[in-house]
Amino acid sequence: MKSICVIDLDNIDHKFPLKSVTQCTRKKHILLYVKRCIEASVELPEGNIKHPQGKGIPQGGVTSPVLASIFMDIVFDKLISKGNPVNSFERYAEDIIVNCRNIKEALRLLEAIKEWLKSYKLELNIEKTNIVYCRKDQKYQQPFKVRY
C-alpha cells in the first residue's frame, strides 16, 4: 500500500524557500536571482497578471521544481526520516509517495503530514492525494479517496 501526497505550494510563504536556499549557498547573486524568481508576476492563459503577494512559488517556471526540491529536502525529507524511519518514500519536487504497511499506518502518516504542513502554512492538494493498494497478491481495489 502506498500513500500518494501532493503538496500545494501555491500558498507557501516566500521566507521558507529563501531560507532553505540559504542553507545551500550564501552567494548573494544566487539568492537575489531566487528571490526575483519567487517574487515574479505570472501571466495567466487569459492574459491577466497574477502578483505573488508574498506567497507561492510560480508553477511552470524553470526554478519551481528546483526550489520545491530544495525546500522539501531540507524540511520534509529530514522530518519523515527522523519521525518515520520505517516508511520509505519517493519524492519529486512536491509530489510524494510514502510506502506504508496498512491502511491505519497510511491514515496516521497522512494526518501527521497534514499537521506538519500547517506549521508552514501549506496544505495537501485534495484532488491529487490518494491512498493506493499496490500488492500483486490482492485483487484490484479502487484508490481510497482521502476526505477532509
Side-chain angles (χ1 to χ4, degrees):
M1 175 181 310
K2 296 182 181 192
S3 173
I4 300 172
C5 304
V6 179
I7 297 173
D8 187 1
L9 294 176
D10 290 341
N11 294 319
I12 189 169
D13 191 324
H14 286 171
K15 69 180 177 183
F16 295 126
L18 284 172
K19 192 173 183 182
S20 299
V21 173
T22 59
Q23 292 185 16
C24 300
T25 185
R26 298 269 187 230
K27 295 186 177 184
K28 291 184 180 186
H29 68 282
I30 293 174
L31 297 173
L32 178 64
Y33 178 71
V34 168
K35 185 176 181 186
R36 286 179 179 168
C37 288
I38 290 174
E39 294 175 350
S41 299
V42 177
E43 184 175 351
L44 301 173
E46 309 86 45
N48 300 339
I49 303 292
K50 179 183 175 188
H51 301 285
Q53 300 171 342
K55 63 180 184 174
I57 295 176
Q59 298 298 306
V62 293
T63 58
S64 62
V66 175
L67 292 173
S69 290
I70 291 170
F71 171 73
M72 295 297 284
D73 179 59
I74 290 173
V75 180
F76 181 83
D77 294 5
K78 289 182 174 89
L79 169 90
I80 200 157
S81 296
K82 287 179 186 176
N84 299 295
V86 195
N87 301 97
S88 61
F89 67 95
E90 298 296 325
R91 182 183 56 72
Y92 173 75
E94 67 271 13
D95 300 336
I96 307 162
I97 298 174
V98 182
N99 300 309
C100 300
R101 292 177 294 241
N102 55 51
I103 189 76
K104 287 182 182 177
E105 182 179 67
L107 289 170
R108 202 170 29 250
L109 191 55
L110 196 58
E111 193 60 36
I113 291 170
K114 272 179 36 182
E115 289 302 312
W116 165 79
L117 290 172
K118 282 183 186 177
S119 67
Y120 289 93
K121 301 175 188 166
L122 295 172
E123 55 190 39
L124 291 173
N125 185 322
I126 297 169
E127 288 94 35
K128 295 181 181 177
T129 300
N130 295 305
I131 295 175
V132 181
Y133 293 94
C134 299
R135 297 181 117 181
K136 283 185 178 180
D137 59 347
Q138 284 184 330
K139 63 180 182 178
Y140 176 76
Q141 294 181 349
Q142 292 288 334
F144 177 80
K145 193 65 185 159
V146 180
R147 306 225 192 292
Y148 296 99

